[in-house]
Amino acid sequence: MSKLIWVGFNMDTSCVEAHFTNGTMIAVDCKAVETALDADTWQRSELDWLIYNKPLEYLQAVFSGEIEEYVKRSAEHRLMD
């Protein structure tokens, strides 16, 4: 099994990328995720924070299907303020 060597946001492609020791790469198109979630402006800013500050957690949420729950929680947090 190859190990993860780098994960981050690529501004040129608008993708969060994960690079592995065996040379493979996984890229998630962030704009496509936002479109699929039908995220509003506030939710997009929450996703942007996650993308820039915790890209590995973003990938984990996308692949586990928890990204929709993350977006819903961010909307609930806004309503509580």
Side-chain angles (χ1 to χ4, degrees), residues 42-43 46 61 66-80:
W42 178 263
Q43 293 167 333
E46 291 290 320
E66 294 175 6
I67 195 71
E68 190 170 359
E69 184 62 33
Y70 178 84
V71 169
K72 287 180 184 177
R73 281 195 314 265
S74 69
E76 290 172 6
H77 176 70
R78 182 182 70 210
L79 293 174
M80 291 172 60

Side-chain angles (χ1 to χ4, degrees), residues 30-52 58 70-71 74 78:
C30 298
K31 290 190 183 284
V33 171
E34 290 173 355
T35 301
L37 293 173
D38 195 27
D40 62 23
T41 304
W42 178 263
Q43 293 167 333
R44 286 177 190 251
S45 68
E46 291 290 320
L47 288 171
D48 286 345
W49 184 90
L50 191 61
I51 289 165
Y52 288 112
Y58 177 83
Y70 178 84
V71 169
S74 69
R78 182 182 70 210

Side-chain angles (χ1 to χ4, degrees), residues 5-22:
I5 55 174
W6 183 82
V7 63
F9 181 68
N10 182 337
M11 283 194 218
D12 295 331
T13 61
S14 296
C15 294
V16 171
E17 298 176 352
H19 296 261
F20 297 89
T21 54
N22 67 355

